[in-house]
Amino acid sequence: ALRVGVRQPGGEAMTAPEFSLNVLTRDISLYLENQVKVGLFGSGVGLSLVLGFSAAYAYYYLSSVAKKPQLVSGGETFCQFLQEHCPVVSETYYPTFWCWEGRIQTLLRPFITAKPWVEYRNELLKMADGGQISLDWFDNDDSERHPDAATRPTVLLLPGLTGTSRESYILHMVQQSRELGYRCVVFNNRGVSNERLLTPRTYCAANTEDLEAAIAHIQSITSAAPLVAAGVSMGGMMLANYLGQKGRETCLRAAAVFSAGWDVFECTASLEKPLNRLLFNSYLTSCLQASVQRHRQILEKLFDIDSIMKANTIREFDERFTSIMFGYPSNDDYYRDASPCHKLKSVQVPTLCLNAADDVFSPGGAIPVEAVRQNPNLAMLVTAHGGHIGFLEGLWPRHSTYMDRVFRQFIKAIFEQGSTLQNL
């Protein structure tokens, strides 16, 4: 459309588009000529830069990223047991070199890791208040190591905040258990696994009534089989709170807790930082709201659903929904009760905990190392990196993670050598 005349040497006029094209062509030609000269006479410089950067990055990775985890235990017996039967606790953890940072590990794991195929047998368990929870059983009837179903070791798995038996980390734990010949049961919180919500009540990290009922039910039908539990994220918080409340009055032989939020106040404060809020908080809040919306018909009898749907953070969601549902005077009261760090002193079965120091859901400063040192039944494994349920390792981490290896070695050691820990 522009017809601005530009005079060429020689007097012939060019339009603006023609002039721009000629200038661009001239500049590209000059650039290519320069690149050819650099290629002929200076290619070694570029190669040296690449090699120098690679060497510097490798040095930084090996000196500052790849480290042995910190192992803290309240008793020498448990510590020696882990070092002898779970060598992974003493090995250097090499996070995937191109995504070792905590946020990146957290974000990428669901997309990178494969989802092993698992066929469950579903059971809906009725609760005393008229509600129901969904248990997904992997019976492992083809087990060669433990062909007798009556005595086949059983692993109870608890997923995270909005997770189900189909989460990749749960499927990997089931796969590890299957290879060892064990049976698995996945505890799905109320209303998250496509089952109908029968009463206006869901779940929270502090309330362990449903978990207690599920454990009692599992024990009643597999009474001759040893039972171990493993919880991830909020599932780990619920499991730790259960262990602290029950003390010795539990049939669990041992437990494993992965990426738990030990102090809920610290967790929410970390998740409300601008970048973390953008990457994680808003998404999880929307997932919680979607679950409420799915069960709106029964929940709106007791709750202001429109107000809940306007929550922008997990804290606001809990203030408008969770803390009210479970009868807490305030949200602070709920967060205090939900924080497992206050109950660790009462845990009376061998419990191994794994956290990453760069987990934005459970910041390193909130990991209860001192509380663990006061209880001989506890051991805390802290890696420098790994994020939240990340722990990716290897060049292309499609399969087993560091967390999976810790899980596999620990449950195997408990089922096969755990008798040495009976008198902790």
Side-chain angles (χ1 to χ4, degrees), residues 307-353:
S307 174
I308 295 169
M309 300 306 291
K310 293 177 183 177
N312 295 311
T313 64
I314 295 175
R315 186 195 298 268
E316 292 180 3
F317 178 89
D318 288 334
E319 289 173 344
R320 303 177 188 193
F321 182 65
T322 315
S323 60
I324 297 174
M325 172 179 292
F326 289 95
Y328 287 96
S330 70
N331 197 58
D332 283 354
D333 290 297
Y334 163 52
Y335 278 4
R336 193 172 297 108
D337 195 28
S339 299
C341 60
H342 304 304
K343 304 183 180 72
L344 288 179
K345 62 182 179 181
S346 302
V347 174
Q348 296 295 315
V349 297
T351 302
L352 174 63
C353 310

Side-chain angles (χ1 to χ4, degrees), residues 182-374:
Y182 306 150
R183 169 174 45 217
C184 288
V185 189
V186 184
F187 171 85
N188 298 291
N189 285 300
R190 296 193 191 196
V192 302
S193 188
N194 295 322
E195 83 281 5
R196 196 160 60 93
L197 200 62
L198 301 181
T199 59
R201 169 181 161 174
T202 56
Y203 57 93
C204 75
N207 188 283
T208 62
E209 293 174 359
D210 288 354
L211 177 58
E212 291 179 36
I215 291 176
H217 173 70
I218 295 167
Q219 177 65 10
S220 69
I221 57 179
T222 62
S223 57
L227 178 62
V228 164
V232 181
S233 189
M234 197 209 74
M237 296 168 64
M238 183 182 293
L239 178 58
N241 283 327
Y242 161 83
L243 293 172
Q245 292 166 9
K246 300 297 287 186
R248 293 190 180 276
E249 297 178 2
T250 177
C251 60
L252 296 180
R253 180 169 294 187
V257 175
F258 301 109
S259 294
W262 296 103
D263 186 324
V264 182
F265 293 101
E266 295 292 336
C267 296
T268 52
S270 177
L271 286 172
E272 286 170 357
K273 292 179 180 179
L275 182 57
N276 296 339
R277 177 169 175 168
L278 175 67
L279 294 176
F280 307 109
N281 203 327
S282 297
Y283 171 73
L284 284 174
T285 303
S286 66
C287 290
L288 290 167
Q289 290 170 325
S291 181
V292 169
Q293 185 67 31
R294 188 165 62 249
H295 302 291
R296 181 177 187 127
Q297 186 175 2
I298 191 165
L299 291 174
E300 64 184 359
K301 297 176 181 179
L302 296 180
F303 304 99
D304 184 351
I305 304 300
D306 291 335
S307 174
I308 295 169
M309 300 306 291
K310 293 177 183 177
N312 295 311
T313 64
I314 295 175
R315 186 195 298 268
E316 292 180 3
F317 178 89
D318 288 334
E319 289 173 344
R320 303 177 188 193
F321 182 65
T322 315
S323 60
I324 297 174
M325 172 179 292
F326 289 95
Y328 287 96
S330 70
N331 197 58
D332 283 354
D333 290 297
Y334 163 52
Y335 278 4
R336 193 172 297 108
D337 195 28
S339 299
C341 60
H342 304 304
K343 304 183 180 72
L344 288 179
K345 62 182 179 181
S346 302
V347 174
Q348 296 295 315
V349 297
T351 302
L352 174 63
C353 310
L354 171 65
N355 277 82
D358 64 354
D359 183 347
V360 298
F361 286 72
S362 185
I367 298 175
V369 173
E370 291 305 317
V372 170
R373 285 198 174 105
Q374 304 303 316

Side-chain angles (χ1 to χ4, degrees), residues 73-258:
S73 179
E76 191 65 26
T77 302
F78 196 13
C79 186
Q80 290 178 350
F81 174 87
L82 292 172
Q83 291 171 338
E84 181 178 353
H85 300 292
C86 305
V88 67
V89 305
S90 303
E91 297 172 359
T92 299
Y93 167 47
Y94 294 92
T96 299
F97 77 95
W98 53 268
C99 67
W100 50 264
E101 197 272 336
R103 294 180 184 86
I104 299 176
Q105 286 237 345
T106 304
L107 290 169
L108 289 184
R109 171 167 180 154
F111 302 101
I112 291 180
T113 53
K115 285 191 172 184
W117 169 249
V118 175
E119 185 174 353
Y120 292 113
R121 171 176 60 85
N122 182 255
E123 178 185 15
L124 293 177
L125 185 61
K126 297 294 183 181
M127 297 290 99
D129 68 341
Q132 64 181 1
I133 57 173
S134 175
L135 299 178
D136 283 322
W137 292 76
F138 175 71
D139 296 303
N140 204 7
D141 288 330
D142 296 329
S143 173
E144 295 181 358
R145 297 188 184 186
H146 302 278
D148 185 359
T151 59
R152 184 176 304 142
T154 304
V155 184
L156 172 63
L157 301 174
L158 286 72
L161 182 62
T162 59
T164 69
S165 59
R166 290 297 172 186
E167 304 303 321
S168 62
Y169 55 86
I170 293 294
L171 294 174
H172 278 270
M173 288 181 176
V174 175
Q175 182 184 46
Q176 299 287 340
S177 302
R178 171 169 47 194
E179 293 173 0
L180 293 170
Y182 306 150
R183 169 174 45 217
C184 288
V185 189
V186 184
F187 171 85
N188 298 291
N189 285 300
R190 296 193 191 196
V192 302
S193 188
N194 295 322
E195 83 281 5
R196 196 160 60 93
L197 200 62
L198 301 181
T199 59
R201 169 181 161 174
T202 56
Y203 57 93
C204 75
N207 188 283
T208 62
E209 293 174 359
D210 288 354
L211 177 58
E212 291 179 36
I215 291 176
H217 173 70
I218 295 167
Q219 177 65 10
S220 69
I221 57 179
T222 62
S223 57
L227 178 62
V228 164
V232 181
S233 189
M234 197 209 74
M237 296 168 64
M238 183 182 293
L239 178 58
N241 283 327
Y242 161 83
L243 293 172
Q245 292 166 9
K246 300 297 287 186
R248 293 190 180 276
E249 297 178 2
T250 177
C251 60
L252 296 180
R253 180 169 294 187
V257 175
F258 301 109

